[in-house]
Amino acid sequence: MRIISLNAWGGSLHEALIDYVREADADVLCLQEVLRGPDPRSGWSIYRDAGLELPQRANLFAEISAALPGHDGFFCPTSRGTLFDGDTAIVAEFGLATFVRKSHSVIAQAMNFVHGSFSAGGWGEHPRPRNAHCIRLFSHGNASAITIAHMHGLRDPAGKGDTPARTEQALALVGLIERVWPGDEGLVVCGDFNVLPDSATFKILARLGLSDLVTGNGLVDTRTSYYLKQGRFADYMLVTPEVKLARFEVVEAPEVSDHRALLLDVV
């Protein structure tokens, strides 16, 4: 089973992103920063916030769904706000997306907020709402089940250091996982956590027996050349000892976002 986690950056590198998710052949694709609009014809739009303008695909979820016809897609919104096509406002939702190959059976799942609550009237104040999605799959090829969760951690303008909100976020993630994971099978937890490697988040997740593959392999960079700031950590992938690894990679090429994809092959 191949599991990939990636912050999709709203589809800013759209063509490269679509090509990658089609060719990477993931069984489970965990995406953060995905948009879904009510108009399937929506294409490029602009996200504007405090002087920042960023190109976005207003219906990225539908575009990735079309690129992966052999997968079931699950969209988990955190907020509903406005993008712009010139002066024309476009309504869209922002959140997580999980794609699962249809040959696997989704036998349990849960989604909930790990920070804040759904913002229906705009993107929300910083730090904005964040959620997590947890699924339990039955692999018919292996006749076994595995639980996979991913999260987009809150962004704090003050930085990625620990805060009470981030501690509560980690506790909420553990609580969500415990609703789905039976505790006696493999567990994978991944995503853009927006924390530093020494964060208390990892001590909290360690209570479930999880250890991080990024820092555990001495890797120091999960960002691409499109990310120009200091501090190259953001994305993590953690596993319990029951998960038998065939391969783990922080993907350097192609660059399809300002984040690198994390790729895990499980025996």
Side-chain angles (χ1 to χ4, degrees):
M1 180 181 292
R2 173 164 293 177
I3 302 162
I4 293 177
S5 176
L6 173 65
N7 182 316
W9 206 22
S12 293
L13 300 178
H14 177 254
E15 184 175 348
L17 174 65
I18 295 297
D19 287 345
Y20 176 71
V21 300
R22 184 184 290 119
E23 295 170 7
D25 197 31
D27 291 277
V28 181
L29 178 63
C30 300
L31 296 177
Q32 304 88 48
E33 291 197 22
V34 176
L35 293 150
R36 182 181 71 170
D39 184 351
R41 297 168 299 177
S42 297
W44 284 110
S45 57
I46 298 294
Y47 165 77
R48 296 173 180 160
D49 179 42
L52 171 69
E53 291 198 351
L54 186 66
Q56 304 276 274
R57 297 297 293 186
N59 218 334
L60 183 60
F61 179 73
E63 292 170 331
I64 294 177
S65 297
L68 298 175
H71 291 64
D72 290 317
F74 304 85
F75 183 73
C76 308
T78 60
S79 54
R80 180 181 172 95
T82 302
L83 303 172
F84 294 91
D85 180 3
D87 293 329
T88 302
I90 300 171
V91 174
E93 292 181 328
F94 176 89
L96 304 175
T98 310
F99 293 88
V100 181
R101 194 184 303 277
K102 292 178 180 179
S103 56
H104 301 299
S105 298
V106 178
I107 56 176
Q109 66 172 312
M111 184 273 287
N112 208 346
F113 282 78
V114 293
H115 175 76
S117 58
F118 183 69
S119 177
W123 304 123
E125 298 297 322
H126 293 289
R128 289 174 171 166
R130 290 290 193 257
N131 61 1
H133 185 213
C134 184
I135 57 173
R136 186 172 180 233
L137 303 182
F138 189 86
S139 170
H140 296 276
N142 294 334
S144 62
I146 187 171
T147 301
I148 303 164
H150 72 118
M151 172 182 78
H152 186 196
L154 68 89
R155 177 185 177 275
D156 189 329
K160 292 184 170 66
D162 278 343
T163 62
R166 284 193 167 112
T167 299
E168 290 301 316
Q169 173 180 261
L171 292 169
L173 176 60
V174 167
L176 177 70
I177 292 168
E178 289 179 331
R179 289 167 53 189
V180 176
W181 180 53
D184 57 355
E185 67 190 28
L187 170 65
V188 178
V189 179
C190 54
D192 172 10
F193 289 4
N194 268 322
V195 299
L196 300 174
D198 62 354
S199 172
T201 293
F202 298 103
K203 297 181 179 66
I204 294 170
L205 292 175
R207 300 173 190 174
L208 301 179
L210 289 160
S211 58
D212 175 47
L213 296 175
V214 173
T215 56
N217 283 282
L219 302 170
V220 297
D221 192 348
T222 64
R223 307 304 294 256
T224 69
S225 64
Y226 290 92
Y227 186 78
L228 304 179
K229 302 176 185 178
Q230 297 297 314
R232 309 294 296 180
F233 284 104
D235 308 275
Y236 301 92
M237 183 170 281
L238 300 90
V239 297
T240 57
E242 294 84 1
V243 178
K244 304 306 179 185
L245 309 184
R247 173 189 178 194
F248 172 70
E249 179 183 356
V250 176
V251 179
E252 294 190 10
E255 293 189 342
V256 300
S257 167
D258 63 340
H259 293 251
R260 296 181 184 179
L262 308 183
L263 183 151
L264 174 65
D265 286 339
V266 177
V267 176

